[in-house]
């Protein structure tokens, strides 16, 4: 473990300003991902800014009829909230599909969005990884890639985003609220929050240096049948091979997003438009342009079958 300094933040704006002023600074809350990365030498922050003391742990109604979820709301508390279970069932189900009960008790809303890939080559510091060390190459390309991306990847990176919660947030059209080091606030649509790898896979989100997430806002409930299905190698404590978040209305319209297949939660507006026409049309749009490897080509068919199963379940639920 490399030495680092530590301070407790007194306000969101002060935390953001401190992060900008101190090279190598990182925010820490639950620490369920960052501490592991520090122990492995993948992350070596020079300064940790503890944001746990900030008043960002509330779930509150918005004037528009949605919910504002504080950045420090723990995953367990968010999944158990009566309003979330009633109006945003896809989110509650996605949260409960992630990690373990112990980790959900510590993991925060903001931290869940910001967790880094579980690509084995990212975690092995003896291997080339453009995400860990820009310009070093990607050992996953041509390597063991069973768990990795089949769409939206690039010649620089084929990693996937590991979050279940983020997939549900994407299908719900959530927004991420932040504060910048100068105290200015901004709102980032979840669709624009995570980036595709391109030539800069180490730049994973739209956040600027020092910018701190303060909340995630859910729009007013849209109703419908809401389903989150996660296909994985074992029943618990495993990341998705493919996951599907779907909201289906009685008239057959709806939305669908995939997890486990790309560098970010994968949703295609053209696929949403095909919802009344059935699963085949939806998956054709969702997976258009897929470039799987020999190791993970099965994910394309697995995604098709999982979407079909979810839409069939939803259709039964709307009768």
């Amino acid at each position: 473990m490399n030495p680092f300094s530590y301070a407790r933040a007194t306000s969101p704006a002060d935390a953001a300003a401190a992060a900008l002023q101190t090279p190598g600074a990182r925010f820490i809350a639950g620490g369920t991902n960052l501490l592991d990365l520090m122990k492995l030498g993948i992350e070596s922050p020079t300064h940790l800014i503890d944001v746990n003391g900030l008043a960002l742990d509330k779930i509150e109604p918005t004037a528009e009829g949605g919910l504002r979820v504080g950045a420090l709301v723990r995953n367990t508390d968010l999944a158990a909230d009566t309003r979330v279970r009633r109006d945003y069932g896809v989110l509650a189900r996605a949260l409960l599909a992630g990690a373990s009960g112990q980790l959900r008790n510590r993991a925060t809303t903001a931290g869940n969005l910001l967790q880094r890939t579980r690509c084995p080559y990212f975690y092995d510091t003896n291997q080339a990884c453009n995400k860990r060390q820009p310009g070093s190459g990607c050992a996953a390309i041509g390597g063991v890639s069973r768990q990795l991306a089949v769409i939206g990847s690039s010649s620089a990176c084929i990693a996937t985003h590991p979050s279940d919660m983020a997939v549900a947030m994407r299908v719900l059209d959530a927004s991420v609220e932040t504060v910048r080091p100068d105290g200015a606030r901004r709102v980032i649509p979840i669709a624009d929050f995570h980036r595709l790898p391109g030539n800069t896979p180490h730049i994973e989100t739209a956040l600027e240096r020092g910018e701190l997430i303060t909340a995630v806002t859910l729009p007013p409930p849209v109703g419908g049948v809401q389903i989150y299905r996660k296909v994985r190698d074992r029943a618990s404590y495993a990341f998705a091979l493919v996951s599907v978040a779907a909201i289906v209305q009685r008239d057959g319209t709806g939305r669908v997003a995939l997890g486990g297949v790309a560098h970010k939660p994968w949703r295609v507006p053209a696929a949403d438009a095909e919802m009344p026409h059935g699963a085949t049309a939806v998956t054709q749009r969702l997976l258009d342009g897929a470039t799987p490897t020999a190791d993970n080509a099965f994910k394309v068919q697995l995604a098709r079958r999982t979407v079909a199963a979810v839409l069939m379940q939803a259709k039964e639920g709307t009768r």
Side-chain angles (χ1 to χ4, degrees):
M1 182 78 73
N2 295 317
F4 57 87
S5 55
Y6 169 89
R8 291 188 175 96
T10 56
S11 74
D14 287 346
L20 180 64
Q21 293 164 7
T22 310
R26 291 292 305 272
F27 302 119
I28 187 166
T32 57
N33 189 201
L34 178 58
L35 291 178
D36 284 343
L37 296 175
M38 290 172 65
K39 291 173 185 177
L40 293 169
I42 297 168
E43 296 258 9
S44 300
T46 60
H47 181 61
L48 291 182
I49 302 169
D50 190 336
V51 297
N52 281 296
L54 305 181
L56 301 175
D57 58 352
K58 304 292 190 300
I59 305 172
E60 302 169 313
T62 65
E64 296 75 21
L67 287 179
R68 186 175 185 272
V69 181
L72 295 175
V73 172
R74 307 293 163 166
N75 287 178
T76 295
D77 296 330
L78 184 57
D81 187 89
T82 302
R83 296 159 294 184
V84 173
R85 294 172 60 191
R86 181 189 64 219
D87 297 328
Y88 306 96
V90 66
L91 176 57
R93 294 182 181 98
L95 286 161
L96 292 174
S100 65
Q102 293 93 330
L103 284 173
R104 291 194 297 270
N105 288 342
R106 289 295 303 163
T108 63
T109 299
N112 193 305
L113 290 177
L114 293 173
Q115 62 182 302
R116 307 199 69 187
T117 184
R118 265 54 177 195
C119 173
Y121 296 95
F122 171 75
Y123 271 81
D124 186 347
T125 56
N126 293 311
Q127 301 290 333
C129 175
N130 288 316
K131 186 178 285 293
R132 180 171 22 83
Q133 185 177 351
S136 63
C138 176
I141 297 175
V144 178
S145 54
R146 182 174 182 273
Q147 293 276 353
L148 303 180
V150 298
I151 197 164
S153 57
S154 72
S155 59
C157 183
I158 60 171
T160 54
H161 195 274
S163 173
D164 292 289
M165 185 195 79
V167 183
M169 293 287 196
R170 179 67 183 91
V171 87
L172 288 167
D173 283 329
S175 297
V176 181
E177 299 180 15
T178 71
V179 62
R180 288 169 160 160
D182 62 0
R185 310 272 173 169
R186 75 163 169 155
V187 177
I188 308 169
I190 193 75
D192 301 328
F193 183 76
H194 296 103
R195 293 169 48 115
L196 291 178
N199 295 321
T200 55
H202 61 291
I203 303 175
E204 298 173 342
T205 72
L207 293 175
E208 300 170 358
R209 184 180 162 198
E211 194 168 10
L212 174 69
I213 296 174
T214 55
V216 175
T217 302
L218 301 174
V222 296
V225 175
Q226 301 189 15
I227 297 171
Y228 186 78
R229 181 172 295 193
K230 181 177 181 178
V231 183
R232 45 191 163 175
D233 284 326
R234 56 183 185 270
S236 67
Y237 203 62
F239 297 100
L241 293 169
V242 169
S243 65
V244 177
I247 301 174
V248 183
Q249 306 296 341
R250 187 172 294 275
D251 62 1
T253 61
R255 314 167 183 178
V256 63
L258 299 179
V261 299
H263 204 256
K264 60 185 290 185
W266 193 254
R267 184 176 167 199
V268 178
D272 290 352
E274 295 287 354
M275 289 285 278
H277 302 128
T280 300
V282 170
T283 53
Q284 184 173 345
R285 293 288 191 178
L286 270 175
L287 299 169
D288 184 34
T291 55
T293 67
D295 276 355
N296 65 20
F298 74 94
K299 280 193 175 190
V300 175
Q301 184 62 22
L302 183 61
R304 291 193 182 109
R305 291 179 177 179
T306 308
V307 169
V310 165
L311 296 189
M312 182 179 296
Q313 180 185 347
K315 184 178 180 181
E316 292 295 321
T318 59
R319 290 180 177 174

